[in-house]
Amino acid sequence: MSKLLVDAEVIRALADILTETGLSEIEIAEKDQRIRVARNLGGSTVVAPVAAPVVGGAVAEQVVSNQDLSKDPGAVLSPMIGVAYLTPEPSAPPFVTVGQIVQSGQVILLIEAMKTFNQIRAHKSGKIKNILVSSGDPVEYGEVLVVIE
């Protein structure tokens, strides 16, 4: 039976990555050894206010309440862990803005996971009420990304 060699420096580096990215867990594997570092986020959900985007020279009203938005029927939840992008490329306009009308199936943002960009689509038609992530934000599985009313 082989003994697992634990490298404290690797574990510290992984813990630092968790802190920097806001992720709840990270895992690396090499040959027949794996190291997984996870942190307990306390089970409570904290919704941070997001700066309201500028639309046509005026600031769009964007209210983020403390209620559990994941229960909202218009909530678009992240189907994976990754990094959110609101534009198809850095210099392009965003897929959607607060107040914009979207159609069911319309691409509203991208999530990059394992070097693959995954299109996140509106699950229903309606008006974009809130955008709760910014481009480059790390996202967790089940996190509310957008609310459509």
Side-chain angles (χ1 to χ4, degrees):
M1 177 179 222
S2 69
K3 183 178 179 183
L4 177 63
L5 299 175
V6 177
D7 186 342
E9 289 299 313
V10 170
I11 293 172
R12 282 188 194 95
L14 291 173
D16 288 343
I17 292 170
L18 287 180
T19 302
E20 290 169 13
T21 62
L23 295 173
S24 62
E25 68 181 64
I26 190 169
E27 182 176 331
I28 61 169
E30 186 175 302
K31 297 182 184 174
D32 62 341
Q33 295 186 359
R34 280 188 333 169
I35 298 176
R36 178 176 167 262
V37 179
R39 63 182 172 149
N40 184 353
L41 298 177
S44 62
T45 303
V46 177
V47 179
V50 178
V54 176
V55 179
V59 175
E61 183 179 325
Q62 184 177 27
V63 178
V64 179
S65 70
N66 290 331
Q67 72 183 13
D68 186 4
L69 291 176
S70 66
K71 306 291 187 228
D72 188 305
V76 177
L77 306 178
S78 178
M80 65 192 70
I81 295 172
V83 178
Y85 292 97
L86 303 179
T87 61
E89 58 186 46
S91 62
F95 288 106
V96 295
T97 57
V98 173
Q100 180 179 339
I101 303 298
V102 295
Q103 301 302 314
S104 179
Q106 180 178 337
V107 175
I108 56 176
L109 60 96
L110 301 173
I111 294 181
E112 178 188 11
M114 301 192 61
K115 300 184 181 183
T116 301
F117 287 89
N118 302 279
Q119 296 180 340
I120 306 304
R121 298 176 180 274
H123 63 287
K124 69 177 201 167
S125 297
K127 184 165 87 172
I128 300 292
K129 180 178 175 184
N130 287 323
I131 300 173
L132 301 169
V133 294
S134 298
S135 277
D137 283 355
V139 295
E140 296 283 333
Y141 173 81
E143 181 177 338
V144 180
L145 305 170
V146 175
V147 178
I148 302 170
E149 56 179 20

